[in-house]
Amino acid sequence: MKLLKLAWNNIIHNPLNLLLSIILFGLGIGLINFLILFNTQLKNKFDSNLAGIDLVIGSKGSPLQMILSSMYHVDAPTGNVKVSEVKAFLNPKHPLIKAAVPLSLGDNYKSYRIVGTTDSLMSFYHATLQQGKFYDRDLEVVIGRAVADDTRLKLGDKFKSSHGFNDDDDLAHDHAAFKVVGILNGTGSVIDQLILTNPSTVWKVHDHSNEESAPTPSEDDAIDHDHDGDGHPDHDPEEHVDHDHDGDGIPDHAAGDHEGHDHSAHDHGPVARTNAELLNYPDKEITTLLIKFRNRTNFQALSMPRSINDNTDMQAASPAIEINRLYAMIGSGRVMLEWLAALIGIISAISIFIVLLKSMRERKYELALIRVMGGSRSSLYSLITIEGMIMTAIGFFVGFILSHIGMEILAGSLKSSYKYSFTGWQFMKEEWMLLGLSLLIGVVASLIPAISAAKMDIHETLNDR
């Protein structure tokens, strides 16, 4: 305890040198710890949202873009495909496919994406209802936990969507309001930040919205629903007039039936909640199809993506492959930051070494007196080593605090931009390892000064005085 107190008094004797060493070391440790926090949480987000999905099928374009838009909901989709094009993959008796879930994208509410899909999507993420029920009528929605917490939507609340993926009142659709009928439990996955409804709702919203008067969203924040070049979605304007949809139970609608009418009322009959029901609409469009294989090691399953890419107008992408490519792209930047942090750490270790060596030489007479008063060589060695460890420990805690504050600031920006929940107040076991590494650096930096102090000639030092 006396050595600890003496070491503390020694290092605060020269506060400027102490401050410089701590700042340098704190920056290095802070950068390393920040990378640990960010990379760990980012990887957890990517891994949890893979959800066992083996393949994503959609329109031609960038496969990584299609994965990010359909599974992570952070990019614009590559386009739409017709139900008839993916009919074979929707077959429940398909020998290779265990589950296939369609997604229809294009709209948002307060930047939370509205997804037209079937009930099976919930099972992909092991999502369960906390309140209410699953949607079974048009314009009914089930919202994720993050959507409910952020927007304060409750059961029975109504809202209108905007075209694209950014919250913009100028792009608001002119349709009857969506109605919240269910709220999901939190899962920690992407489904927490989605608004789920049936595909027919997405079709009807775009069929009946006044697209001619609405500004076209940029390609950065919305998908292009215009497939004819006419400025509005590729749907027959008479499609919902006096149509019975082959006797599937959906009531006919006259052209004027939608004026002043509340679409959230339960007067639309059953909707496409399953793949079998979705097949009744071959000319309608979906954005992508999420696929799970029965057997991932089956040769035919492994060759399916290439077959789709080579023989159809669609593309198929493997989430695992594309995410690994993404890791590779951001990996070079991460490695550069790690090397920068290591360089700062080395410079700070040299600074601590210089401070301790200089301090030891300035205090040679005091150290000699300690020996005269009964102190051993090991006591002097321990004293200098403790000083080095104290300096690196303080630097570690400075970096620790800076990294967590920085991560919390970044978390707010990521949540605002992408709706993903990161936090600066998550603590990793790697941080304990980083503390041990910091103390070890302190020991190494103080090694030469400590050995010099322990081997100091008492008589020569006192005579020089």
Side-chain angles (χ1 to χ4, degrees):
M1 184 60 70
K2 290 182 179 179
L3 281 179
L4 185 61
K5 183 177 180 181
L6 183 59
W8 174 251
N9 289 332
N10 287 338
I11 62 175
I12 64 174
H13 181 70
N14 196 335
L16 291 180
N17 287 338
L18 174 65
L19 184 62
L20 175 62
S21 300
I22 288 176
I23 289 176
L24 280 174
F25 194 74
L27 287 175
I29 291 296
L31 185 54
I32 293 173
N33 202 46
F34 176 82
L35 291 175
I36 291 174
L37 291 171
F38 179 74
N39 288 336
T40 301
Q41 294 187 55
L42 182 65
K43 188 176 186 304
N44 289 340
K45 294 293 183 185
F46 276 126
D47 291 347
S48 65
N49 291 334
L50 283 175
I53 297 169
D54 298 304
L55 199 65
V56 179
I57 301 174
S59 63
K60 295 286 188 183
S62 165
L64 178 58
Q65 179 184 350
M66 186 171 69
I67 296 297
L68 291 177
S69 64
S70 298
M71 292 181 57
Y72 299 96
H73 298 274
V74 293
D75 204 346
T78 55
N80 292 334
V81 295
K82 287 189 175 183
V83 172
S84 58
E85 294 181 274
V86 295
K87 179 179 179 180
F89 307 107
L90 294 171
N91 183 0
K93 297 182 180 180
H94 196 290
L96 302 178
I97 296 176
K98 178 181 179 181
V101 175
L103 301 181
S104 294
L105 306 174
D107 292 337
N108 80 92
Y109 172 68
K110 293 188 176 180
S111 296
Y112 286 102
R113 299 193 178 195
I114 298 173
V115 180
T117 186
T118 58
D119 296 354
S120 301
L121 184 67
M122 271 71 86
S123 64
F124 274 25
Y125 299 96
H126 307 289
T128 57
L129 278 173
Q130 182 184 61
Q131 303 176 48
K133 64 185 181 79
F134 288 120
Y135 48 81
D136 56 11
R137 293 285 189 263
D138 287 341
L139 291 167
E140 291 183 341
V141 299
V142 172
I143 62 176
R145 184 70 261 168
V147 180
D149 291 341
D150 191 38
T151 63
R152 305 298 181 187
L153 286 173
K154 304 181 297 297
L155 292 181
D157 286 351
K158 297 181 179 182
F159 63 91
K160 291 190 176 183
S161 64
S162 295
H163 189 53
F165 301 126
N166 290 332
D167 187 21
D168 189 341
D169 291 339
D170 292 334
L171 300 177
H173 282 298
D174 183 18
H175 63 76
F178 290 99
K179 181 179 180 180
V180 179
V181 297
I183 300 175
L184 298 175
N185 282 304
T187 64
S189 63
V190 70
I191 201 168
D192 292 348
Q193 58 202 43
L194 299 180
I195 299 173
L196 306 179
T197 186
N198 57 73
S200 58
T201 291
V202 176
W203 302 332
K204 289 183 179 181
V205 164
H206 289 90
D207 282 344
H208 295 290
S209 60
N210 186 10
E211 299 291 345
E212 295 87 354
S213 62
T216 302
S218 69
E219 61 182 351
D220 291 332
D221 62 9
I223 62 172
D224 184 9
H225 293 272
D226 179 12
H227 299 283
D228 293 333
D230 60 357
H232 55 273
D234 184 16
H235 299 294
D236 184 357
E238 301 299 324
E239 195 165 32
H240 289 273
V241 180
D242 295 325
H243 276 48
D244 183 65
H245 295 284
D246 300 324
D248 62 357
I250 298 180
D252 297 338
H253 297 285
D257 281 350
H258 297 280
E259 293 184 10
H261 186 68
D262 184 2
H263 290 260
S264 64
H266 293 184
D267 60 354
H268 295 283
V271 297
R273 294 185 58 185
T274 66
N275 290 347
E277 293 169 338
L278 192 67
L279 292 174
N280 293 326
Y281 308 90
D283 294 329
K284 293 295 186 179
E285 293 181 337
I286 61 172
T287 306
T288 51
L289 198 63
L290 308 181
I291 301 291
K292 280 187 178 182
F293 291 135
R294 296 184 186 275
N295 185 352
R296 295 181 178 179
T297 60
N298 185 288
F299 175 77
Q300 289 178 300
L302 294 175
S303 62
M304 183 183 289
R306 173 172 291 185
S307 176
I308 293 172
N309 292 331
D310 292 344
N311 302 316
T312 73
D313 292 330
M314 301 180 293
Q315 74 170 344
S318 167
I321 293 175
E322 297 305 322
I323 293 305
N324 284 334
R325 287 179 181 172
L326 179 62
Y327 282 148
M329 285 190 290
I330 66 178
S332 57
R334 186 188 72 244
V335 170
M336 289 183 62
L337 288 176
E338 289 173 349
W339 277 107
L340 176 61
L343 179 61
I344 295 174
I346 292 172
I347 294 174
S348 64
I350 294 173
S351 173
I352 292 171
F353 161 74
I354 294 173
V355 168
L356 291 175
L357 186 61
K358 180 182 178 183
S359 175
M360 187 274 296
R361 289 176 175 175
E362 290 176 350
R363 293 184 289 124
K364 287 176 63 177
Y365 183 74
E366 296 175 14
L367 297 175
L369 288 178
I370 293 176
R371 289 292 311 282
V372 170
M373 296 173 65
S376 63
R377 292 181 184 274
S378 61
S379 296
L380 295 184
Y381 182 91
S382 299
L383 177 64
I384 302 300
T385 302
I386 290 172
E387 290 179 17
M389 294 175 68
I390 289 176
M391 294 174 72
T392 53
I394 294 173
F396 167 81
F397 284 109
V398 169
F400 175 85
I401 293 170
L402 288 176
S403 63
H404 281 273
I405 291 176
M407 186 65 217
E408 186 64 19
I409 293 173
L410 179 63
S413 175
L414 291 172
K415 182 173 178 59
S416 175
S417 300
Y418 302 108
K419 304 304 179 185
Y420 274 86
S421 298
F422 289 79
T423 177
W425 310 125
Q426 181 175 346
F427 303 97
M428 313 288 180
K429 61 181 181 181
E430 290 86 354
E431 292 177 294
W432 290 105
M433 298 172 61
L434 197 57
L435 174 58
L437 177 63
S438 300
L439 297 177
L440 180 61
I441 291 174
V443 171
V444 172
S446 61
L447 185 61
I448 294 178
I451 292 175
S452 300
K455 290 183 176 182
M456 180 179 55
D457 189 316
I458 302 175
H459 299 291
E460 183 181 342
T461 303
L462 293 177
N463 286 336
D464 289 344
R465 183 71 174 181

